[in-house]
Amino acid sequence: MPDIAIIAGTGALPRLVLEALAGDAFVCGVEGFDVALEGVPCAGGAVETFRVERLVPFLDSLVDRGVTRVVFAGAMQRPTLDPALFDRATAGLVPRLLGAMQAGDDATLRAVIAIFEEWDLEVMGAHEIAPDLVPEAGVLCGTVSPVDAADVKRAAQIVQALGAADVGQGAVVAGGLCLATESLPGTDAMLAFSAVHSGMKQGAKGVFFKAPKPDQDHRIDLPAIGPQTVVNAAEAGLAGIAWQAGGVMLLDREGVVKAAQDAGLFLWARDENADDSLATSAAATGDAR
């Protein structure tokens, strides 16, 4: 039996992690949220669901079946909790979790990691299981103009400030002006807002930048970009998408690159310590590794 369990949310990431493990993992999801594995078999034959109100019995069950490692994968929303369903042991964790939730998403996730580790479960990042999901620094396609590079740099500064306040992981900047920032509704909502308000760009195309929050634990909630992100960025009339190199996963890399090429967008894994002027010359070399 496998010694690893995937705590799965929605989206493509759980399937990609399961594929990287050749199906040799238990897949567990919060009751009420669909987990799409698209035909990839998993240990036990099906996704096991659990309720947050019964977290301690769930953790005990993982240990009992020999699980020693867990990986969180996919988007997860805060479930609606039913006080009547709490067992005594899980109820004892509520004050701790509520305090973390009031401090923000990052604090909540750190608290969750700490609880799993108290059951001697090693928490791993999805990128540790499937390292090919994280591109190395470089321009994957398209050309980054000096104007684009300046907008990306400005967006990176904004995202760092947002992340320090535990608010979001993305921003859209056009001509040096911030058009939108990511908050609780997420990336798609931010890009949809940018599309509706594209007239505010005053002739500039603009860029979308994404990065983890400062000091974020990369084992959980690492930002991700998929083909639909590219489509949404194109509909907003942006010149391209950039992200912090080593800090963002590409879900379906081939599909992401093709979508960007079809739409004429650049994709840039930006090394925050590198000279941004290198981006244009890097683009001429073609696809980054």
Side-chain angles (χ1 to χ4, degrees), residues 42 84-85 99 109 146-147 152-153 158 172 191 232 235 250 264 276 286:
C42 61
L85 296 180
L109 294 173
V147 172
V152 168
K153 183 175 182 179
I158 293 168
V172 173
L191 291 174
N232 294 344
E235 290 178 350
L250 288 193
D276 287 347

Side-chain angles (χ1 to χ4, degrees), residues 6 8-23 27 35-42 47 73-74 129-130 133 227 251-253:
I6 300 172
T10 58
L13 188 56
R15 174 181 56 80
L16 294 172
V17 172
L18 185 60
E19 286 178 346
L21 292 167
V27 180
V35 177
L37 301 181
E38 298 180 8
V40 182
C42 61
V47 176
I129 303 296
L133 294 175
L251 308 181
D252 183 7
R253 174 173 174 149

Side-chain angles (χ1 to χ4, degrees), residues 100-220:
M101 290 171 66
Q102 291 173 351
D105 286 344
D106 195 46
T108 302
L109 294 173
R110 288 178 183 275
V112 170
I113 287 175
I115 290 170
F116 273 73
E117 289 179 334
E118 287 169 12
W119 264 254
D120 291 327
L121 295 168
E122 177 188 0
V123 177
M124 303 183 67
H127 62 290
E128 297 178 82
I129 303 296
D132 289 345
L133 294 175
V134 181
E136 296 181 8
V139 178
L140 276 66
C141 69
T143 300
V144 184
S145 73
V147 172
D148 297 330
D151 278 346
V152 168
K153 183 175 182 179
R154 174 61 175 154
Q157 294 169 341
I158 293 168
V159 170
Q160 184 176 36
L162 286 173
D166 200 3
V167 173
Q169 300 172 317
V172 173
V173 169
L177 301 176
C178 183
L179 181 62
T181 57
E182 184 185 83
S183 57
L184 189 60
T187 298
D188 290 344
M190 178 192 65
L191 291 174
F193 178 92
S194 300
V196 171
H197 295 85
S198 59
M200 298 177 66
K201 294 190 291 184
Q202 299 180 343
K205 294 201 71 172
V207 302
F208 165 43
F209 180 80
K210 198 169 184 71
K213 298 170 184 175
D215 301 323
Q216 177 178 329
D217 192 323
H218 286 199
R219 292 176 295 172
I220 194 167

